[in-house]
Amino acid sequence: MMGIAYTYFVLVVIAVGLYWWAKHQTKASVGLTKFHLTGIQTEYPEINLEEQRVKGTITYQGVIYMSVYVNILKDTVQVEGSVKELEHITPHYMNEKDYIEEIKTMAAFYIENKIANPKKYLDEMLKT
C-alpha cells in the first residue's frame, strides 16, 4: 500500500512540475505598437446637411493633395487630386482607396447624425 501512495505522490509532483515548466516556457504574446504621426490630415471643410453633400480633404503641411466630394442622396463620389505623392510617409496600411473609403464612411456618419461641424462635435464628445 505504501508503494501505491508513493507512486501517486510522485505522479502529482511530476504533473505539477510539468505544469509549472510549461507555464513558464510559454512566452506571453506581449508586443509593442509604435504610433508615428505622419502629419497627413483628413478634414471636412464642407458639410451640407440639407443637400447631403460632404467635401473631405487630405492635406499635408497645409497643402491639399486630394479632395473627395460625397453626395449621399445621389450615391456618388468625385475625387480630385491624389495622395500618391505622399506614399513615402503614408502608413503602409493606408492607400488612396482607403482614404476615399474613410471619407465616404465619415460623410455618411455626419449626414446620418446631422453633424455639420465635426470639430465642435468631437469637442463635445471629449467633454463627456
Side-chain angles (χ1 to χ4, degrees):
M1 285 266 175
M2 184 83 149
I4 293 175
Y6 181 75
T7 304
Y8 285 131
F9 173 75
V10 170
L11 289 174
V12 169
V13 168
I14 290 172
V16 169
L18 286 173
Y19 173 77
W20 180 88
W21 177 80
K23 187 172 179 148
H24 287 83
Q25 290 300 314
T26 306
K27 297 282 184 196
S29 61
V30 176
L32 176 66
T33 302
K34 184 176 180 182
F35 292 97
H36 175 72
L37 295 177
T38 62
I40 299 173
Q41 296 181 340
T42 305
E43 299 171 341
Y44 300 88
E46 297 174 23
I47 298 176
N48 185 324
L49 297 176
E50 204 171 290
E51 295 180 18
Q52 296 191 6
R53 291 182 300 137
V54 175
K55 175 185 177 184
T57 59
I58 305 296
T59 62
Y60 178 66
Q61 294 183 340
V63 177
I64 297 174
Y65 282 84
M66 185 168 68
S67 295
V68 179
Y69 301 88
V70 180
N71 188 317
I72 301 296
L73 281 177
K74 295 180 181 179
D75 193 26
T76 60
V77 177
Q78 179 186 351
V79 179
E80 293 178 1
S82 173
V83 293
K84 295 234 186 260
E85 291 179 50
L86 303 176
E87 284 180 343
H88 65 286
I89 58 170
T90 302
H92 68 336
Y93 54 85
M94 287 290 286
N95 60 38
E96 193 159 288
K97 289 180 183 178
D98 294 326
Y99 281 108
I100 294 167
E101 191 60 37
E102 175 188 337
I103 291 172
K104 285 173 47 180
T105 301
M106 292 308 297
F109 175 80
Y110 293 144
I111 297 299
E112 184 179 309
N113 292 287
K114 298 176 178 30
I115 300 168
N117 186 337
K119 183 175 177 3
K120 181 179 175 185
Y121 172 78
L122 183 60
D123 289 345
E124 289 174 5
M125 291 302 290
L126 292 174
K127 286 180 185 177
T128 60

